[in-house]
Protein backbone atom coordinates (compact mmCIF):
# COMPACT_ATOMS: atom_id res chain seq x y z
CA UNK A 1 0.00 0.00 0.00
CA UNK A 2 2.38 2.67 -1.29
CA UNK A 3 1.77 6.29 -2.32
CA UNK A 4 4.33 8.35 -4.22
CA UNK A 5 4.82 12.13 -4.39
CA UNK A 6 7.08 13.57 -7.08
CA UNK A 7 8.67 17.01 -7.54
CA UNK A 8 11.87 18.40 -8.98
CA UNK A 9 13.21 19.36 -5.53
CA UNK A 10 12.34 18.14 -2.04
CA UNK A 11 11.84 21.73 -0.89
CA UNK A 12 8.73 21.90 -3.07
CA UNK A 13 7.24 18.89 -1.30
CA UNK A 14 8.18 20.27 2.12
CA UNK A 15 6.64 23.65 1.38
CA UNK A 16 3.40 22.42 -0.17
CA UNK A 17 2.61 18.75 0.31
CA UNK A 18 3.43 17.51 3.80
CA UNK A 19 -0.25 17.66 4.94
CA UNK A 20 -1.21 15.49 1.96
CA UNK A 21 1.54 12.97 2.67
CA UNK A 22 0.42 12.79 6.28
CA UNK A 23 -3.17 12.34 5.09
CA UNK A 24 -2.11 9.04 3.51
CA UNK A 25 0.10 8.03 6.42
CA UNK A 26 -2.88 8.32 8.77
CA UNK A 27 -4.72 5.85 6.54
CA UNK A 28 -1.91 3.31 6.84
CA UNK A 29 -0.13 3.93 3.54
CA UNK A 30 3.63 3.99 3.19
CA UNK A 31 4.50 7.31 1.55
CA UNK A 32 7.46 7.74 -0.77
CA UNK A 33 8.96 10.91 -2.24
CA UNK A 34 11.26 11.17 -5.23
CA UNK A 35 13.14 14.31 -6.12
CA UNK A 36 16.58 15.82 -6.46
CA UNK A 37 18.65 15.54 -3.33
CA UNK A 38 18.63 18.74 -1.27
CA UNK A 39 18.80 19.74 2.39
CA UNK A 40 15.03 19.45 2.88
CA UNK A 41 15.20 15.70 2.24
CA UNK A 42 15.90 15.09 5.92
CA UNK A 43 12.70 16.88 6.94
CA UNK A 44 10.68 14.30 5.01
CA UNK A 45 12.73 11.39 6.35
CA UNK A 46 12.11 12.58 9.91
CA UNK A 47 8.37 12.40 9.15
CA UNK A 48 8.66 8.76 8.13
CA UNK A 49 8.58 9.39 4.38
CA UNK A 50 10.77 7.18 2.20
CA UNK A 51 12.97 9.39 -0.02
CA UNK A 52 14.55 8.29 -3.28
CA UNK A 53 16.80 10.72 -5.16
CA UNK A 54 16.18 11.12 -8.90
CA UNK A 55 18.28 13.67 -10.88
CA UNK A 56 15.49 15.74 -12.41
CA UNK A 57 16.29 19.02 -14.13
CA UNK A 58 13.89 21.92 -14.67
CA UNK A 59 15.47 22.39 -18.09
CA UNK A 60 13.53 20.12 -20.48
CA UNK A 61 16.64 19.70 -22.65
CA UNK A 62 19.07 18.76 -19.87
CA UNK A 63 20.87 15.38 -20.20
CA UNK A 64 20.05 14.84 -16.50
CA UNK A 65 16.50 14.04 -17.51
CA UNK A 66 17.71 11.08 -19.57
CA UNK A 67 19.28 9.64 -16.45
CA UNK A 68 16.14 10.50 -14.48
CA UNK A 69 14.08 8.55 -17.05
CA UNK A 70 16.30 5.48 -16.64
CA UNK A 71 16.14 5.63 -12.85
CA UNK A 72 12.36 6.05 -12.88
CA UNK A 73 12.01 3.03 -15.14
CA UNK A 74 14.15 0.92 -12.80
CA UNK A 75 12.22 2.13 -9.76
CA UNK A 76 8.81 1.36 -11.21
CA UNK A 77 9.92 -2.10 -12.35
CA UNK A 78 10.78 -3.03 -8.76
CA UNK A 79 8.21 -0.97 -6.82
CA UNK A 80 4.47 -0.54 -7.32
CA UNK A 81 2.37 2.39 -6.06
CA UNK A 82 -1.36 2.61 -5.50
CA UNK A 83 -1.38 6.28 -6.52
CA UNK A 84 1.19 8.82 -7.69
CA UNK A 85 0.88 12.58 -7.16
CA UNK A 86 3.20 14.52 -9.46
CA UNK A 87 4.22 18.18 -9.43
CA UNK A 88 6.64 20.38 -11.40
CA UNK A 89 6.32 20.25 -15.21
CA UNK A 90 9.33 18.16 -16.26
CA UNK A 91 9.42 15.69 -13.37
CA UNK A 92 5.65 15.29 -13.77
CA UNK A 93 5.99 14.64 -17.51
CA UNK A 94 8.76 12.06 -17.11
CA UNK A 95 6.98 10.24 -14.30
CA UNK A 96 3.68 10.05 -16.17
CA UNK A 97 5.39 8.84 -19.34
CA UNK A 98 7.29 6.06 -17.56
CA UNK A 99 4.37 4.95 -15.35
CA UNK A 100 1.69 5.04 -18.04
CA UNK A 101 1.83 1.27 -18.67
CA UNK A 102 1.30 0.24 -15.03
CA UNK A 103 -2.42 1.11 -14.97
CA UNK A 104 -2.35 2.92 -11.63
CA UNK A 105 -3.87 6.37 -11.01
CA UNK A 106 -1.70 9.45 -11.45
CA UNK A 107 -2.78 12.92 -10.32
CA UNK A 108 -0.99 16.14 -11.21
CA UNK A 109 -1.04 19.50 -9.46
CA UNK A 110 -0.16 22.35 -11.82
CA UNK A 111 1.27 25.05 -9.61
CA UNK A 112 1.16 27.45 -12.55
CA UNK A 113 1.51 26.40 -16.18
CA UNK A 114 4.58 27.80 -17.91
CA UNK A 115 2.28 28.99 -20.72
CA UNK A 116 0.02 31.91 -19.85
CA UNK A 117 -1.22 35.21 -21.22
CA UNK A 118 1.89 37.27 -21.98
CA UNK A 119 4.33 34.35 -21.68
CA UNK A 120 7.22 34.14 -24.17
CA UNK A 121 6.25 32.33 -27.37
CA UNK A 122 8.79 29.59 -26.67
CA UNK A 123 6.90 28.69 -23.49
CA UNK A 124 3.77 28.02 -25.54
CA UNK A 125 5.77 26.11 -28.15
CA UNK A 126 7.46 23.87 -25.57
CA UNK A 127 5.21 23.47 -22.54
CA UNK A 128 1.70 23.58 -24.02
CA UNK A 129 2.28 20.57 -26.34
CA UNK A 130 4.00 18.67 -23.50
CA UNK A 131 1.08 19.23 -21.11
CA UNK A 132 -1.40 18.30 -23.83
CA UNK A 133 0.53 15.10 -24.52
CA UNK A 134 0.85 14.18 -20.84
CA UNK A 135 -2.88 14.75 -20.24
CA UNK A 136 -3.57 11.33 -21.78
CA UNK A 137 -1.57 9.71 -18.96
CA UNK A 138 -3.20 11.80 -16.21
CA UNK A 139 -6.17 10.52 -14.24
CA UNK A 140 -6.84 13.88 -12.60
CA UNK A 141 -5.46 17.39 -12.91
CA UNK A 142 -5.60 20.02 -10.15
CA UNK A 143 -5.27 23.69 -11.15
CA UNK A 144 -5.40 26.66 -8.83
CA UNK A 145 -6.16 29.82 -10.76
CA UNK A 146 -8.75 30.92 -13.28
CA UNK A 147 -6.43 31.30 -16.27
CA UNK A 148 -4.93 27.82 -15.85
CA UNK A 149 -8.43 26.37 -15.49
CA UNK A 150 -9.47 27.91 -18.81
CA UNK A 151 -6.33 26.64 -20.54
CA UNK A 152 -6.57 23.15 -19.00
CA UNK A 153 -10.09 22.70 -20.36
CA UNK A 154 -8.58 22.83 -23.86
CA UNK A 155 -6.80 19.49 -23.39
CA UNK A 156 -8.29 17.85 -20.27
CA UNK A 157 -11.83 16.44 -19.94
CA UNK A 158 -13.68 18.55 -17.39
CA UNK A 159 -14.61 15.46 -15.33
CA UNK A 160 -10.86 14.89 -14.77
CA UNK A 161 -10.19 18.48 -13.82
CA UNK A 162 -10.48 20.26 -10.45
CA UNK A 163 -10.10 23.98 -9.77
CA UNK A 164 -8.84 23.98 -6.17
CA UNK A 165 -7.95 26.74 -3.70
CA UNK A 166 -4.22 26.19 -3.84
CA UNK A 167 -2.54 23.72 -1.49
CA UNK A 168 -3.94 25.12 1.74
CA UNK A 169 -2.72 27.68 4.25
CA UNK A 170 -1.93 26.57 7.77
CA UNK A 171 0.07 28.30 10.49
CA UNK A 172 0.64 27.18 14.06
CA UNK A 173 -0.23 30.66 15.33
CA UNK A 174 2.86 30.67 17.51
CA UNK A 175 3.34 34.18 18.93
CA UNK A 176 6.69 35.71 18.10
CA UNK A 177 8.97 37.39 20.60
CA UNK A 178 8.49 40.60 18.67
CA UNK A 179 10.88 42.73 20.72
CA UNK A 180 13.72 40.21 20.35
CA UNK A 181 13.04 39.71 16.65
CA UNK A 182 12.96 43.43 15.92
CA UNK A 183 16.19 43.91 17.88
CA UNK A 184 17.90 41.09 15.97
CA UNK A 185 17.00 42.88 12.72
CA UNK A 186 18.02 46.28 14.11
CA UNK A 187 14.58 47.78 13.45
CA UNK A 188 13.83 51.28 14.68
CA UNK A 189 10.73 51.93 16.77
CA UNK A 190 8.86 53.56 13.88
CA UNK A 191 10.02 51.12 11.18
CA UNK A 192 7.40 49.99 8.67
CA UNK A 193 8.45 46.54 7.49
CA UNK A 194 7.87 45.29 3.94
CA UNK A 195 8.47 41.58 3.38
CA UNK A 196 9.32 40.03 0.01
CA UNK A 197 9.21 36.23 0.33
CA UNK A 198 10.34 34.55 -2.89
CA UNK A 199 13.08 32.56 -4.53
CA UNK A 200 15.83 34.87 -5.80
CA UNK A 201 15.27 34.26 -9.51
CA UNK A 202 14.36 36.48 -12.44
CA UNK A 203 10.71 35.49 -12.47
CA UNK A 204 10.18 36.89 -8.98
CA UNK A 205 11.18 40.33 -10.27
CA UNK A 206 12.91 41.78 -7.17
CA UNK A 207 14.58 44.44 -9.30
CA UNK A 208 11.20 46.09 -9.95
CA UNK A 209 11.05 47.14 -6.32
CA UNK A 210 14.79 47.64 -5.82
CA UNK A 211 15.13 50.10 -8.70
CA UNK A 212 12.37 52.21 -7.10
CA UNK A 213 13.46 51.78 -3.50
CA UNK A 214 15.41 55.04 -3.23
CA UNK A 215 12.39 57.01 -4.46
CA UNK A 216 10.14 55.29 -1.89
CA UNK A 217 12.66 56.04 0.85
CA UNK A 218 12.59 59.77 0.06
CA UNK A 219 8.92 59.92 1.07
CA UNK A 220 9.10 57.10 3.64
CA UNK A 221 12.44 57.01 5.46
CA UNK A 222 10.89 54.59 7.98
CA UNK A 223 10.45 51.86 5.33
CA UNK A 224 12.46 48.64 5.76
CA UNK A 225 12.64 45.88 3.16
CA UNK A 226 13.20 42.27 4.25
CA UNK A 227 14.01 39.91 1.37
CA UNK A 228 13.56 36.24 2.30
CA UNK A 229 14.71 33.45 0.03
CA UNK A 230 17.68 32.04 -1.83
CA UNK A 231 18.40 31.50 -5.49
CA UNK A 232 20.68 31.99 -8.46
CA UNK A 233 20.39 35.81 -8.35
CA UNK A 234 21.45 36.11 -4.71
CA UNK A 235 24.86 37.66 -5.45
CA UNK A 236 23.53 39.83 -8.30
CA UNK A 237 20.76 41.34 -6.16
CA UNK A 238 23.09 41.98 -3.23
CA UNK A 239 25.58 43.64 -5.59
CA UNK A 240 22.78 45.82 -6.99
CA UNK A 241 21.83 46.99 -3.50
CA UNK A 242 25.46 47.78 -2.65
CA UNK A 243 26.23 49.45 -5.99
CA UNK A 244 23.22 51.76 -5.70
CA UNK A 245 23.74 52.27 -1.97
CA UNK A 246 20.16 51.29 -1.17
CA UNK A 247 19.34 51.83 2.49
CA UNK A 248 17.45 49.52 4.83
CA UNK A 249 17.36 46.47 2.57
CA UNK A 250 18.12 43.19 4.36
CA UNK A 251 18.67 39.78 2.77
CA UNK A 252 17.59 37.12 5.26
CA UNK A 253 18.16 34.01 3.16
CA UNK A 254 15.99 30.91 3.56
CA UNK A 255 13.97 31.23 6.76
CA UNK A 256 11.97 28.66 8.67
CA UNK A 257 10.43 31.32 10.93
CA UNK A 258 8.31 33.03 8.26
CA UNK A 259 5.28 32.95 10.53
CA UNK A 260 7.18 34.93 13.16
CA UNK A 261 8.63 37.36 10.62
CA UNK A 262 5.17 38.09 9.25
CA UNK A 263 4.15 39.14 12.77
CA UNK A 264 6.56 42.08 12.56
CA UNK A 265 5.63 42.82 8.92
CA UNK A 266 3.28 45.65 7.89
CA UNK A 267 3.08 45.07 4.11
CA UNK A 268 3.77 41.97 2.03
CA UNK A 269 4.75 42.18 -1.63
CA UNK A 270 5.31 39.90 -4.61
CA UNK A 271 5.96 41.38 -8.05
CA UNK A 272 6.39 38.22 -10.13
CA UNK A 273 6.07 37.85 -13.87
CA UNK A 274 4.48 34.39 -13.42
CA UNK A 275 2.69 32.67 -10.52
CA UNK A 276 0.34 29.77 -9.93
CA UNK A 277 -1.22 30.69 -6.61
CA UNK A 278 1.58 31.89 -4.32
CA UNK A 279 1.51 30.44 -0.84
CA UNK A 280 3.54 33.32 0.61
CA UNK A 281 0.80 35.76 -0.43
CA UNK A 282 -1.88 33.54 1.09
CA UNK A 283 0.08 33.18 4.33
CA UNK A 284 0.46 36.94 4.63
CA UNK A 285 -3.28 37.38 4.06
CA UNK A 286 -3.92 34.81 6.79
CA UNK A 287 -1.78 36.94 9.09
CA UNK A 288 -3.87 40.02 8.29
CA UNK A 289 -1.47 41.85 5.99
CA UNK A 290 -2.20 43.92 2.88
CA UNK A 291 -0.33 42.98 -0.28
CA UNK A 292 1.11 44.93 -3.19
CA UNK A 293 1.38 42.64 -6.22
CA UNK A 294 1.72 42.75 -9.97
CA UNK A 295 -1.16 42.16 -12.37
CA UNK A 296 -0.16 38.53 -12.77
CA UNK A 297 -2.08 35.27 -13.01
CA UNK A 298 -2.44 33.80 -9.54
CA UNK A 299 -1.80 37.09 -7.77
CA UNK A 300 -4.90 38.73 -9.18
CA UNK A 301 -6.85 35.63 -8.08
CA UNK A 302 -5.97 36.52 -4.47
CA UNK A 303 -5.77 40.30 -4.38
CA UNK A 304 -8.64 42.63 -5.21
CA UNK A 305 -7.26 46.06 -6.02
CA UNK A 306 -8.13 48.61 -3.36
CA UNK A 307 -9.71 46.04 -1.01
CA UNK A 308 -7.06 43.75 0.44
CA UNK A 309 -4.11 45.36 -1.28
CA UNK A 310 -3.04 46.90 -4.56
CA UNK A 311 -2.47 45.41 -8.01
CA UNK A 312 0.02 47.27 -10.19
CA UNK A 313 1.06 46.87 -13.79
CA UNK A 314 4.44 45.48 -14.74
CA UNK A 315 7.05 48.22 -15.19
CA UNK A 316 4.73 51.00 -13.96
CA UNK A 317 7.35 52.60 -11.71
CA UNK A 318 5.29 55.64 -10.81
CA UNK A 319 2.30 53.54 -9.82
CA UNK A 320 4.46 51.20 -7.75
CA UNK A 321 6.00 54.08 -5.80
CA UNK A 322 2.62 55.74 -5.23
CA UNK A 323 1.01 52.53 -3.91
CA UNK A 324 3.87 51.75 -1.54
CA UNK A 325 4.02 55.30 -0.21
CA UNK A 326 0.24 55.31 0.35
CA UNK A 327 0.30 52.12 2.41
CA UNK A 328 3.49 52.92 4.30
CA UNK A 329 2.09 56.26 5.42
CA UNK A 330 -1.34 55.02 6.52
CA UNK A 331 -1.57 52.57 9.42
CA UNK A 332 -5.37 52.81 9.24
CA UNK A 333 -5.46 51.74 5.59
CA UNK A 334 -3.08 48.85 6.31
CA UNK A 335 -5.37 47.67 9.11
CA UNK A 336 -8.52 47.88 6.99
CA UNK A 337 -6.95 46.05 4.04
CA UNK A 338 -5.46 43.45 6.38
CA UNK A 339 -8.87 42.71 7.85
CA UNK A 340 -10.27 42.25 4.34
CA UNK A 341 -7.38 39.92 3.53
CA UNK A 342 -8.17 37.67 6.50
CA UNK A 343 -11.81 37.40 5.48
CA UNK A 344 -11.00 36.66 1.83
CA UNK A 345 -8.48 33.89 2.61
CA UNK A 346 -11.00 31.65 4.38
CA UNK A 347 -11.66 29.28 1.40
CA UNK A 348 -7.89 28.79 1.03
CA UNK A 349 -7.29 27.40 4.53
CA UNK A 350 -5.93 23.86 4.66
CA UNK A 351 -8.99 22.59 6.52
CA UNK A 352 -11.09 23.61 3.50
CA UNK A 353 -8.64 22.67 0.75
CA UNK A 354 -7.56 19.20 1.90
CA UNK A 355 -11.07 17.78 1.33
CA UNK A 356 -10.93 19.05 -2.27
CA UNK A 357 -7.96 16.75 -2.86
CA UNK A 358 -9.00 13.86 -0.61
CA UNK A 359 -12.31 13.47 -2.45
CA UNK A 360 -10.39 12.85 -5.68
CA UNK A 361 -7.88 10.55 -3.97
CA UNK A 362 -10.69 8.45 -2.51
CA UNK A 363 -12.47 8.15 -5.84
CA UNK A 364 -9.33 7.04 -7.68
CA UNK A 365 -8.21 4.58 -5.03
CA UNK A 366 -11.56 2.79 -5.15
Amino acid sequence: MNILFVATVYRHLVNFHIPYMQHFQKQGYTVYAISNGDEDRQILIDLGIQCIDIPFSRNPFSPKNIEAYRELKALFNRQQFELIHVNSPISALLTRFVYRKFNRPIVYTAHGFHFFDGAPKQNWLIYYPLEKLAARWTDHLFVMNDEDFRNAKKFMPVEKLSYVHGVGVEFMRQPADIATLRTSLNLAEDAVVISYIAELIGNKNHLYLLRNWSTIKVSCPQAILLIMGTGELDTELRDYVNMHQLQDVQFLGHRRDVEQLLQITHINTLLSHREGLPKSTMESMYMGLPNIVTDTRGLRDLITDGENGYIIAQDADGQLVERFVTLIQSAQLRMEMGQQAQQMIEPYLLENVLPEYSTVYKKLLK
Side-chain angles (χ1 to χ4, degrees):
M1 298 289 287
N2 303 316
I3 302 293
L4 176 64
F5 282 77
V6 182
T8 303
V9 293
Y10 286 115
R11 179 165 294 175
H12 176 100
L13 297 176
V14 168
N15 288 342
F16 301 123
H17 292 285
I18 285 177
Y20 301 89
M21 295 174 164
Q22 293 177 325
H23 166 78
F24 285 111
Q25 286 179 318
K26 290 173 183 175
Q27 296 182 59
Y29 289 95
T30 299
V31 178
Y32 286 76
I34 60 175
S35 189
N36 264 309
D38 60 57
E39 61 185 19
D40 285 6
R41 182 182 197 268
Q42 191 59 47
I43 295 174
L44 298 178
I45 292 173
D46 291 344
L47 292 172
I49 294 162
Q50 310 294 311
C51 293
I52 302 171
D53 294 349
I54 299 288
F56 295 119
S57 172
R58 289 173 174 167
N59 179 356
F61 305 109
S62 171
K64 286 185 178 181
N65 289 320
I66 299 175
E67 180 60 28
Y69 168 80
R70 294 185 182 129
E71 293 189 21
L72 283 171
K73 194 172 181 180
L75 170 64
F76 294 148
N77 281 329
R78 68 175 184 266
Q79 182 74 62
Q80 290 291 301
F81 299 95
E82 300 304 309
L83 180 142
I84 297 180
H85 190 151
V86 296
N87 306 268
S88 315
I90 302 306
S91 62
L93 172 68
L94 287 173
T95 303
R96 286 178 287 175
F97 177 71
V98 175
Y99 207 65
R100 71 194 188 283
K101 65 179 181 179
F102 289 95
N103 196 30
R104 291 288 194 279
I106 301 180
V107 300
Y108 172 38
T109 296
H111 293 260
F113 289 134
H114 281 34
F115 50 90
F116 53 94
D117 292 347
K121 185 178 292 186
Q122 67 181 26
N123 285 35
W124 283 92
L125 293 174
I126 296 172
Y127 291 101
Y128 183 83
L130 290 179
E131 293 290 3
K132 186 175 181 179
L133 174 67
R136 68 181 67 181
W137 312 315
T138 307
D139 295 280
H140 206 88
L141 170 61
F142 297 105
V143 296
M144 53 186 67
N145 62 65
D146 181 66
E147 185 178 327
D148 280 355
F149 183 60
R150 286 185 277 110
N151 282 327
K153 286 192 291 184
K154 298 173 184 177
F155 55 78
M156 197 75 184
V158 70
E159 64 271 15
K160 293 186 176 183
L161 182 61
S162 292
Y163 182 177
V164 295
H165 292 86
V167 291
V169 177
E170 183 184 42
F171 268 152
M172 300 304 293
R173 288 195 177 276
Q174 296 177 344
D177 184 343
I178 291 176
T180 300
L181 194 52
R182 289 178 65 91
T183 299
S184 70
L185 296 170
N186 197 30
L187 300 179
E189 191 70 28
D190 66 341
V192 175
V193 177
I194 301 161
S195 286
Y196 203 135
I197 309 166
E199 191 176 0
L200 305 186
I201 57 176
N203 175 56
K204 301 301 182 179
N205 203 18
H206 294 79
L207 283 175
Y208 189 9
L209 179 54
L210 291 178
R211 72 172 183 252
N212 289 290
W213 186 247
S214 292
T215 306
I216 293 170
K217 287 287 286 183
V218 170
S219 299
C220 305
Q222 73 274 36
I224 306 290
L225 177 59
L226 303 181
I227 297 178
M228 304 174 216
T230 59
E232 61 191 27
L233 295 186
D234 192 318
T235 300
E236 181 178 325
L237 292 173
R238 290 174 188 267
D239 287 347
Y240 184 93
V241 168
N242 292 330
M243 183 185 307
H244 293 84
Q245 299 182 326
L246 302 184
Q247 300 299 308
D248 297 318
V249 177
Q250 298 188 38
F251 289 86
L252 305 186
H254 179 61
R255 301 290 294 232
R256 300 203 184 278
D257 59 345
V258 170
E259 180 178 358
Q260 284 69 42
L261 287 164
L262 286 176
Q263 291 178 49
I264 63 166
T265 297
H266 299 90
I267 302 167
N268 192 65
T269 188
L270 190 59
L271 306 173
S272 306
H273 295 293
R274 173 181 60 82
E275 286 292 344
L277 198 74
K279 193 173 183 181
S280 63
T281 303
M282 292 188 284
E283 288 173 340
S284 70
M285 291 171 64
Y286 180 73
M287 299 298 288
L289 297 177
N291 277 261
I292 297 178
V293 302
T294 39
D295 188 8
T296 300
R297 174 201 62 178
L299 289 169
R300 57 176 172 258
D301 289 74
L302 295 169
I303 304 304
T304 301
D305 188 52
E307 292 189 21
N308 61 336
Y310 289 122
I311 299 176
I312 58 175
Q314 294 280 1
D315 299 318
D317 292 1
Q319 185 187 31
L320 179 142
V321 170
E322 189 272 329
R323 295 309 196 199
F324 270 101
V325 169
T326 297
L327 265 186
I328 293 168
Q329 292 182 343
S330 177
Q332 179 66 27
L333 183 58
R334 295 197 302 269
M335 182 186 71
E336 292 171 357
M337 285 187 166
Q339 290 173 345
Q340 284 289 319
Q342 281 187 316
Q343 293 174 17
M344 296 169 76
I345 202 62
E346 184 74 21
Y348 298 87
L349 300 184
L350 180 63
E351 62 197 61
N352 298 320
V353 175
L354 184 55
E356 296 178 345
Y357 287 83
S358 63
T359 298
V360 174
Y361 291 151
K362 187 176 181 180
K363 179 181 177 181
L364 292 175
L365 286 168
K366 280 184 177 179

